[in-house]
Amino acid sequence: MATAPFKTEPSPQNWQQQLADAFTNLNDLCRYLELPPEAVALSATAAENFPLRVPRSYAENIKKATPNDPLLLQILPLQAELWSYPGFSDDPVGDLNAIKVPGVLHKYHGRALFINTGSCAINCRYCFRRNFPYADFQLSKEKEQAAIAYIEQNPSISEVILSGGDPLTLSDNRLAKLILQLNQIKHLKRLRIHSRLPTVLPARITTDLIDIFNKSCFPIVMVIHCNHANELNHQVIAALTLLKNSRITLLNQSVLLKNINDSSDALCALSEALFDYGVMPYYLHILDKAQGTGHFEVSEAIGLNLIKQMQAVLPGYLVPKLVKEIAGAPAKQAVNI
């Protein structure tokens, strides 16, 4: 697959300033995208329930005056978010029952999720934690130390997963201190980071951040989140190149989303593009049934058919695992053919 030339360094603009300059007003976003309000079923109430947040670096990838753009549909507050769907809830994957101490979700053997922040660079409308009560679990210094102590006191935990929110919205200083503390825990073998920032705010991936990662005593696996090949612009490719050249293992997880990536052509293009830039397709998630996201749902039967179509044209290592999460299950559940 031919690729356009690109810079080997991400945008020099300060990532924190870019984060502060993100679109948070629906009218401003529509004006920028030349999108007449009557062209889509927008909802100010939906934007109040789950605030709009879109970095300009992501908005630049959206085709203007195109209501059905696959990137636009991921971030636009619509009236459909107010509809009720059977089986959808505020805690679709049982996160609240998995909280052992504030900041630690311990669902699966051998790994624990460390939630340091509820902040994200972008508010994806299909987010399974869009209703998570982050305000109730804000980590003071004391609570953060209690979370680290929980991990330290549980030798069965060999992998810590930094999640959120998005852990890369933390400052370099906080990330460096956290990694330093985790380095002291002898039974840890890996550090995993789940982040959307490499694709929606690529300026966050700096040489300073890479230096922090290089101070980790254990291998780092970064699971990025990209749903469509159109998200992979030159700045994103530059950020992924920095990560890849630092020997960080890069995986991708996507969510199967109606009218966004629910075609074999879209999914194959994504897998091919990810591999070109050093990222292995990992998971394709069946939508978690969070209240407000029902209009994105694609059935398991359609998902299975799409996987079959991908297997017919791609090598096996480019076909992601189709999975779903069931509250209380000991692992992600494969949706088998």
Side-chain angles (χ1 to χ4, degrees):
M1 180 176 179
T3 59
F6 59 90
K7 299 177 182 178
T8 56
E9 287 285 339
S11 168
Q13 291 180 284
N14 181 285
W15 69 272
Q16 289 165 314
Q17 186 59 51
Q18 289 192 28
L19 188 59
D21 289 342
F23 287 104
T24 57
N25 180 278
L26 191 52
N27 291 330
D28 290 344
L29 179 64
C30 287
R31 279 194 295 270
Y32 173 79
L33 295 175
E34 300 173 8
L35 192 67
E38 64 273 11
V40 286
L42 298 173
S43 172
T45 301
E48 290 176 6
N49 292 345
F50 185 48
L52 174 79
R53 177 175 291 277
V54 184
R56 291 174 186 268
S57 57
Y58 183 88
E60 288 170 0
N61 286 343
I62 298 173
K63 188 175 180 180
K64 294 187 175 181
T66 308
N68 63 345
D69 181 272
L71 275 60
L72 175 68
L73 294 176
Q74 296 182 51
I75 52 89
L76 206 58
L78 300 177
Q79 292 176 14
E81 293 182 35
L82 308 179
W83 302 345
S84 293
Y85 290 82
F88 283 68
S89 70
D90 286 347
D91 185 24
V93 297
D95 276 349
L96 296 179
N97 286 335
I99 296 171
K100 303 305 179 183
V101 295
V104 176
L105 274 66
H106 195 179
K107 293 183 180 181
Y108 304 145
H109 177 77
R111 50 219 188 269
L113 212 68
F114 197 167
I115 297 181
N116 300 83
T117 178
S119 297
C120 284
I122 190 168
N123 283 352
C124 303
R125 309 312 299 183
Y126 54 85
C127 179
F128 72 102
R129 288 201 183 117
R130 56 180 286 156
N131 306 306
F132 189 82
Y134 288 108
D136 297 340
F137 298 98
Q138 289 293 325
L139 288 190
S140 62
K141 287 184 179 180
E142 293 77 12
K143 288 181 178 179
E144 184 169 272
Q145 291 309 305
I148 291 172
Y150 175 86
I151 295 167
E152 191 169 19
Q153 293 161 11
N154 285 270
S156 67
I157 298 173
S158 59
E159 181 175 29
V160 167
I161 303 167
L162 301 185
S163 186
D166 196 306
L168 293 191
T169 60
L170 297 175
S171 69
D172 282 355
N173 186 51
R174 280 200 66 190
L175 275 173
K177 288 182 177 178
L178 178 59
I179 289 176
L180 180 61
Q181 290 179 297
L182 294 174
N183 280 344
Q184 310 307 311
I185 302 177
K186 302 302 182 183
H187 54 82
L188 293 183
K189 296 179 180 179
R190 290 174 299 279
L191 175 64
R192 197 192 320 174
I193 299 171
H194 287 189
S195 181
R196 187 90 158 104
L197 266 70
T199 51
V200 304
L201 193 69
R204 178 64 183 102
I205 310 303
T206 63
T207 53
D208 287 343
L209 181 64
I210 297 299
D211 287 342
I212 292 170
F213 290 157
N214 287 339
K215 290 181 173 65
S216 171
C217 291
F218 25 72
I220 291 180
V221 178
M222 183 171 290
V223 183
I224 70 166
H225 179 175
C226 183
N227 293 317
H228 197 281
N230 290 1
E231 296 176 31
L232 299 168
N233 65 11
H234 292 338
Q235 289 76 29
V236 173
I237 297 166
L240 296 175
T241 300
L242 271 179
L243 293 165
K244 179 183 67 173
N245 290 345
S246 302
R247 300 187 301 279
I248 293 171
T249 300
L250 294 175
L251 306 174
N252 182 66
Q253 59 181 351
S254 305
V255 181
L256 184 57
L257 301 166
K258 186 176 182 180
N259 298 325
I260 292 170
N261 60 7
D262 57 338
S263 73
S264 60
D265 286 347
L267 293 172
C268 287
L270 175 59
S271 283
E272 293 272 19
L274 287 167
F275 185 77
D276 281 350
Y277 308 135
V279 185
M280 290 300 297
Y282 176 42
Y283 276 158
L284 177 62
H285 288 267
I286 295 294
L287 181 77
D288 293 319
K289 296 187 176 186
Q291 189 67 43
T293 67
H295 56 296
F296 289 110
E297 187 176 26
V298 178
S299 71
E300 291 183 23
I302 291 175
L304 285 170
N305 188 50
L306 290 170
I307 292 295
K308 287 181 181 178
Q309 293 177 50
M310 294 180 75
Q311 290 173 330
V313 296
L314 292 178
Y317 58 85
L318 291 186
V319 181
K321 298 176 184 177
L322 184 66
V323 297
K324 61 182 177 180
E325 185 164 359
I326 299 175
K332 295 283 193 303
Q333 303 297 294
V335 181
N336 294 312
I337 293 175

